[in-house]
Amino acid sequence: MASTCNLRADVTSIIWLDETGCQDVSHVGGKVANLSRLAADYRVPTGFCLTTDAFKQWHEDGRSIQMPPALWRQLSAAYAEMARRSGTEQPSVAVRSSAIDEDGRFASFAGQYETYLNLVGEEEVAAAVLRCWHSTGAERVTGYRERYGLALDNIEMAVLVQHLVPADSSAVIFSANPVTRDRGQVVINASWGLGESIVGGTVTPDTYVVNKQDLSVTESRVADKERMTVIVAGGTKEVPVPRFMRLQPTLSVEQLQAMARLAIALEEQVGWPVDLESAYSDNELYLLQCRSVTTLIDTEEGDKEHG
């Protein structure tokens, strides 16, 4: 049975990435606030966020398996606006959770909450939002929060709905070398298709090292990339990489340098090392996520305390 509650007039349930209100961590979480701040200066896919107010309304409504009707109408209107902005009648979107204490300086929550890709239609989007909200009680999430000394009750969750970029190639980029801790290097892990194969560890990506001073590519290890994540009807699928592409470099020197410049600029803007997810689609570079490299920050803070 559908809920009969209505959203209060003072509740801000949905905010677009390009609105200043989307930079309020208490309403949208660290992941979305970061992207909103960067969207004015970088090519970030358009999107909107269901805020913590929407989550609280759903929570107060008894954590239903359905979305409150008033919120459903707002989500439907936002999806229609997404269609207008993207020039697509039924845009494909990514739905990602964003906890309020996620993507802070010392706990990134990478991979702990839910992400759903290539959803089409407001009903699929609404179902994914509900799954993100329900994930706040997942065992892996509570374990992670315990490890970092974060609260286990009164968790608040925002959810980002973002136009999905049909990536030709994707990369995870570190503005400092996460292995050697060399702050003079940018490290790029890249593969074909969507970035989920890299993040999920199902492919051995190409690895490139770029010198920050002159943007020279000082190391290039081209892997045998056996798998790739691609868009299919109803979601995504891991498929074999065509044989002729497996040993081909994923990125050109020009693309590597563009990614390095992006990482350097973001590090300067944020103030500490970052790792970011990006993608090339039709030769356009998109910024998808940006997080702190928490291990490097931990080391630097420790050095200061014992120096």
Side-chain angles (χ1 to χ4, degrees), residues 67-128:
M67 189 169 286
L71 182 56
W72 162 261
R73 289 191 291 272
Q74 292 184 44
L75 175 63
S76 180
Y79 185 75
E81 173 62 15
M82 174 86 74
R84 188 193 69 79
R85 293 188 181 198
S86 64
T88 307
E89 186 176 344
Q90 292 278 290
S92 171
V93 302
V95 176
R96 306 180 191 274
S97 58
S98 179
I100 297 312
D101 42 12
E102 186 174 1
D103 283 357
R105 288 186 63 191
F106 299 100
S108 73
F109 279 84
Q112 299 304 312
Y113 289 116
E114 300 298 331
T115 294
Y116 301 96
L117 302 178
N118 193 29
L119 303 180
V120 178
E122 54 203 34
E123 291 186 3
E124 284 193 8
V125 174

Side-chain angles (χ1 to χ4, degrees), residues 173-177 183 185-186 212 263-264 267 272-275:
I173 309 169
F174 298 88
S175 69
N177 193 313
R183 294 287 297 271
Q185 296 178 334
V186 174
K212 280 185 176 179
I264 293 166
E267 179 180 276
W272 49 77
V274 294
D275 94 66

Side-chain angles (χ1 to χ4, degrees), residues 12-269:
T12 304
S13 301
I14 293 178
I15 308 177
W16 286 85
L17 273 178
D18 57 6
E19 295 180 310
T20 55
C22 207
Q23 298 175 22
D24 184 344
V25 174
S26 68
H27 278 87
V28 302
K31 178 189 296 180
V32 177
N34 287 344
L35 272 182
S36 180
R37 283 190 288 268
L38 299 172
D41 300 316
Y42 304 96
R43 187 178 287 106
V44 175
T46 186
F48 59 85
C49 182
L50 286 89
T51 67
T52 54
D53 285 332
F55 174 80
K56 290 174 187 174
Q57 189 70 24
W58 167 77
H59 195 277
E60 292 167 2
D61 197 40
R63 300 171 65 93
S64 170
I65 60 171
Q66 293 179 300
M67 189 169 286
L71 182 56
W72 162 261
R73 289 191 291 272
Q74 292 184 44
L75 175 63
S76 180
Y79 185 75
E81 173 62 15
M82 174 86 74
R84 188 193 69 79
R85 293 188 181 198
S86 64
T88 307
E89 186 176 344
Q90 292 278 290
S92 171
V93 302
V95 176
R96 306 180 191 274
S97 58
S98 179
I100 297 312
D101 42 12
E102 186 174 1
D103 283 357
R105 288 186 63 191
F106 299 100
S108 73
F109 279 84
Q112 299 304 312
Y113 289 116
E114 300 298 331
T115 294
Y116 301 96
L117 302 178
N118 193 29
L119 303 180
V120 178
E122 54 203 34
E123 291 186 3
E124 284 193 8
V125 174
V129 170
L130 288 166
R131 289 196 293 270
C132 287
W133 286 341
H134 278 292
S135 74
T136 55
E139 186 176 337
R140 69 177 185 278
V141 172
T142 56
Y144 187 91
R145 298 185 70 88
E146 284 179 339
R147 188 157 64 251
Y148 280 92
L150 300 171
L152 298 178
D153 54 357
N154 299 321
I155 301 172
E156 296 182 353
M157 172 72 72
V159 180
L160 175 65
V161 179
Q162 195 173 21
H163 190 238
L164 181 62
V165 173
D168 302 312
S169 59
S170 300
V172 175
I173 309 169
F174 298 88
S175 69
N177 193 313
V179 177
T180 66
R181 304 183 186 276
D182 189 335
R183 294 287 297 271
Q185 296 178 334
V186 174
V187 177
I188 301 171
N189 296 322
S191 192
W192 302 116
L194 301 177
E196 303 311 302
S197 294
I198 305 173
V199 175
T202 60
V203 66
T204 300
D206 294 345
T207 299
Y208 306 94
V209 177
V210 180
N211 183 289
K212 280 185 176 179
Q213 287 192 329
D214 60 8
L215 297 182
S216 60
V217 180
T218 60
E219 191 174 331
S220 178
R221 297 198 302 271
V222 178
D224 185 355
K225 299 170 288 295
E226 298 181 0
R227 311 287 292 175
M228 63 191 293
T229 304
V230 298
I231 294 173
V232 297
T236 62
K237 184 179 180 181
E238 276 217 345
V239 299
V241 173
R243 185 165 295 276
F244 76 95
M245 294 172 59
R246 283 174 51 167
L247 291 171
Q248 289 292 318
T250 314
L251 301 167
S252 68
V253 172
E254 291 77 13
Q255 289 174 326
L256 289 169
Q257 290 174 334
M259 286 184 168
R261 281 193 291 269
L262 175 62
I264 293 166
L266 289 169
E267 179 180 276
E268 290 176 351
Q269 186 166 340

